Amino acid sequence: MTAMISLRRRHLYIAFLLLFTLTVNAGIAYFNIRRLVQNERVVARTYSILVELDNVVALATEAETAQRGFILTGDARYLQSFEASQSQIEAALNVLSKNIVNPEQKRTLPLLRRVVEQRLQRARRGIELRRKRGFGAAQKFIAAGVGRRQMEAIESYARRIQNIEQEVLQQRADESTAAAENATRTFWIATGANVLFLALVSALLWRASEQNTRLEHAFADLKRAEGMRDSLSTMLVHDLRTPLTTLLGPLEMLHSGVLGPLDENQREIVMMSHLSGQRLLTLINQLLDISKLEAGEMKIRAVAVMVPDLVKEAVAEVPRHQSGATARIDTEIEAVLPPVRCDHELLLRVLINLLGNALKFTPADGRVTVGAKSQKEAVLLWVRDTGEGIPAQDLDKVFDKFGQVETRKAGRKMSTGLGLTFCKLAVEAHGGKIWVESQVGQGSTFFFTVPMAQKREVSASKANSHRE
C-alpha cells in the first residue's frame, strides 16, 4: 500500500514536472513570439523614419535646385517645384515627429527642422533678390556658400538619426534571431514533456519561424532598398542634376546673346557644350524614370491611341534625336488596326528609343522598318534593322541597365545604355512584353506587344476628339 502510494505520488510528481515544464516552455515561446511581433512593428516604424529622412534631404535638395533654376533663368515654373517641395518637407517632418521615440533622436529632430526652415528661408530670400534686384545680386547671394553649409547640416542631422535607427534595426534583428532559436528549443522540450500539447507548441513554433522569416526578409529588403535609394538619390538629385542645372542656365544665356555677342567659333563651342549638357540631363531624367518604373511609382495615363498615328509621330521625331542617321525608314502597318490602350508619351518614347537604336547601328545604305499587326487581344509592334546584329550569347543582356554587348567588329562595343531598359519597363507597365531576335550580320528585330483598347475607351477618345 505504501509502495502504491509512493508510486502514485511519483507519477504525480512526474506529471506535475511535465506540466510545469510545458507551461514554462509555452510561456517562453509566447513571449518570444510576442517579442517578434513587437520587433516587426519597430522595423516598420524604422522603415518609415528612414524613408521620411530620405524625403527630407531629397526635397531640400529639390528646393535648392528649383531656387537655382529660377535665379539662373527667371522661369516662374521653377517656383512651382519650390513651393511643392516646401509643403512636402513639412509633411515629412510631421511624420518623423510622430514616429520618433528615441530620446537622442527627439533632441536631434528640432535641430533638423530648424536648419531645414533656415535653408528654405534663405532660398526664399534668394528668390526675392532675383525678382527685385536681378541675377547679379542673387548670384552673389548664392556664392556666399551659406546654403551649401545649411545643406551639409541637414544631411548631417539626418545621418545622425539614420545611424541610431540602423542600430535599433540591427538590435531587433539579433533579438528576433535569438527569440526564434529559443522558440525552437522550447518546441523540442515541450514535445518530450507532453505529447498532448504538441499541437499547441507546434503552432507557436510555426508562428515564431514565420515571424522570424518575415523579419529577416524585411531587413534584407530594407537594406537593399536603402542602399539603392541612397546611391540613386545622392548621385542624381544632388551630385548630378543640381550642378548640371547650374551649368545649363549660363550656357543657354551665352548662346542666346543675353550676356553679350559671341563670334561664330564661340557660339559653336557654347552650342556644343549646351547640347552635351542637355544629353546628360536627358540621361539623368531617364534614370529617374527607370527608378520610378522599377518602384511602380510611374503613373500610366492609359487612353485609346491609334498605332499608325503613333508610328508616324515617332518616325518624324527620330531624326531630331539621330541627326547623323541616313538609313531609310519604312513602315509595314496592317491596313485595319485597332487602337491600343497605352500612355501616349511613354509608348512614343519606346518607339523613338527603338528607332534611334536601329538607326545608330544601321549603315547608310541600310534599311529600318517599323511595323504593327493585330493579335488576339493585343497589337504586336516591331522595329527591324539591317545592321550588324547581336551575338546569341548577348541577347539576354540587351535590356540590362548599362548593359554592353560585343559587336562582330573587333575592338568595338555596342552600348545598350538605359534606352532599352526603359523600353522593357515601360512595355511591362502596360501589361505587354518585349523581346529581341537577331543574327550577326543580318540585323535585329525588337518586338513588343500593347493591349488593345476597350470599346468604351475608344468611344471616349472619339468624343474628346470631337470636342477638341
Side-chain angles (χ1 to χ4, degrees):
M1 186 71 178
T2 304
M4 186 178 296
I5 295 175
S6 177
L7 183 59
R8 184 180 299 174
R9 184 176 298 173
R10 187 181 303 170
H11 287 167
L12 289 174
Y13 286 156
I14 294 173
F16 175 77
L17 182 60
L18 290 174
L19 181 61
F20 175 77
T21 303
L22 179 61
T23 302
V24 171
N25 287 326
I28 294 173
Y30 170 77
F31 285 111
N32 284 333
I33 292 172
R34 201 171 162 189
R35 184 188 302 174
L36 287 169
V37 174
Q38 292 173 348
N39 286 348
E40 188 176 36
R41 292 173 184 167
V42 171
V43 168
R45 187 177 71 242
T46 296
Y47 179 80
S48 175
I49 292 173
L50 292 174
V51 168
E52 295 303 331
L53 284 170
D54 285 338
N55 285 340
V56 168
V57 176
L59 289 169
T61 306
E62 288 283 355
E64 180 183 28
T65 302
Q67 174 215 11
R68 290 178 179 270
F70 175 76
I71 289 174
L72 288 171
T73 65
D75 191 342
R77 288 177 296 181
Y78 285 102
L79 297 182
Q80 297 177 0
S81 176
F82 179 78
E83 296 298 332
S85 298
Q86 285 191 94
S87 60
Q88 293 173 16
I89 286 176
E90 183 61 29
L93 288 172
N94 289 337
V95 173
L96 287 173
S97 180
K98 291 179 181 178
N99 288 336
I100 285 179
V101 296
N102 183 276
E104 185 175 348
Q105 290 177 324
K106 283 188 173 183
R107 290 191 296 269
T108 306
L109 182 59
L111 301 177
L112 174 62
R113 183 186 292 271
R114 185 172 62 207
V115 73
V116 167
E117 291 173 352
Q118 290 173 351
R119 182 66 195 99
L120 293 176
Q121 182 180 4
R122 185 167 182 83
R124 287 191 289 269
R125 287 175 57 194
I127 291 171
E128 286 300 316
L129 277 175
R130 178 63 171 88
R131 283 174 171 166
K132 295 179 179 180
R133 297 173 57 187
F135 174 75
Q139 186 181 30
K140 290 181 180 179
F141 181 76
I142 292 178
V146 177
R148 167 56 55 190
R149 293 192 291 273
Q150 290 173 337
M151 281 302 303
E152 291 174 353
I154 291 173
E155 294 171 356
S156 175
Y157 288 134
R159 197 178 306 114
R160 186 184 302 176
I161 298 176
Q162 284 176 332
N163 290 339
I164 296 174
E165 285 301 321
Q166 291 292 349
E167 293 176 0
V168 171
L169 199 62
Q170 186 61 52
Q171 180 183 357
R172 295 299 180 180
D174 294 341
E175 290 179 359
S176 297
T177 301
E181 293 174 354
N182 290 337
T184 303
R185 287 193 293 268
T186 299
F187 167 74
W188 292 113
I189 295 174
T191 301
N194 196 330
V195 178
L196 294 177
F197 293 97
L198 179 61
L200 175 61
V201 176
S202 299
L204 293 174
L205 178 64
W206 176 83
R207 185 178 176 185
S209 300
E210 183 184 41
Q211 293 284 351
N212 184 62
T213 301
R214 289 173 59 189
L215 183 61
E216 289 178 348
H217 289 169
F219 179 73
D221 291 341
L222 177 60
K223 294 290 291 183
R224 183 167 54 253
E226 182 184 316
M228 292 176 61
R229 183 177 61 251
D230 287 345
S231 61
L232 186 63
S233 174
T234 301
M235 181 181 68
L236 295 182
V237 179
H238 188 270
D239 293 340
L240 289 179
R241 193 163 60 178
T242 299
L244 184 58
T245 304
T246 305
L247 288 172
L248 287 178
L251 286 173
E252 187 172 353
M253 295 172 69
L254 281 171
H255 185 260
S256 62
V258 174
L259 301 180
L262 302 175
D263 60 36
E264 191 63 28
N265 290 334
Q266 290 172 335
R267 285 178 58 83
E268 184 177 354
I269 292 172
V270 170
M271 182 182 67
M272 290 173 59
S273 300
H274 187 264
L275 288 176
S276 298
Q278 288 289 353
R279 284 196 292 270
L280 181 56
L281 185 60
T282 299
L283 174 63
I284 294 171
N285 291 332
Q286 202 167 41
L287 276 168
L288 289 173
D289 289 341
I290 288 173
S291 178
K292 289 180 181 179
L293 285 168
E294 288 176 334
E297 297 175 354
M298 177 74 77
K299 293 183 179 179
I300 306 296
R301 299 175 177 86
V303 295
V305 176
M306 301 304 297
V307 174
D309 296 338
L310 192 69
V311 171
K312 183 178 180 181
E313 187 177 352
V315 171
E317 185 77 13
V318 167
R320 292 200 290 269
H321 290 78
Q322 299 287 337
S323 57
T326 57
R328 190 176 79 228
I329 300 179
D330 297 330
T331 56
E332 296 177 355
I333 301 178
E334 194 175 84
V336 180
L337 199 62
V340 294
R341 182 178 185 276
C342 70
D343 186 305
H344 177 272
E345 292 300 323
L346 280 181
L347 198 61
L348 178 63
R349 288 172 61 186
V350 170
L351 277 173
I352 290 174
N353 278 333
L354 294 179
L355 284 169
N357 275 348
L359 289 170
K360 182 178 180 181
F361 296 103
T362 301
D365 58 348
R367 173 180 163 187
V368 173
T369 305
V370 55
K373 67 178 181 180
S374 58
Q375 293 184 329
K376 291 183 179 180
E377 297 181 354
V379 172
L380 174 67
L381 295 96
W382 65 87
V383 175
R384 182 181 298 113
D385 64 64
T386 56
E388 297 180 16
I390 304 171
Q393 67 271 18
D394 293 326
L395 289 176
D396 294 336
K397 299 190 297 185
V398 296
F399 296 105
D400 292 345
K401 194 184 298 184
F402 304 111
Q404 286 188 332
V405 299
E406 296 283 352
T407 65
R408 61 191 178 92
K409 292 183 178 180
R412 196 170 94 117
K413 288 188 176 182
M414 181 177 68
S415 172
T416 59
L418 298 171
L420 292 180
T421 304
F422 170 80
C423 292
K424 179 178 184 295
L425 294 172
V427 169
E428 291 176 351
H430 284 86
K433 61 179 181 178
I434 185 170
W435 69 97
V436 59
E437 296 177 2
S438 181
Q439 290 186 1
V440 175
Q442 299 184 19
S444 306
T445 304
F446 285 83
F447 300 89
F448 67 95
T449 59
V450 184
M452 293 181 185
Q454 303 296 327
K455 291 183 178 180
R456 52 187 173 81
E457 293 175 322
V458 177
S459 301
S461 177
K462 290 180 178 178
N464 291 333
S465 177
H466 291 319
R467 284 196 295 270
E468 293 174 358

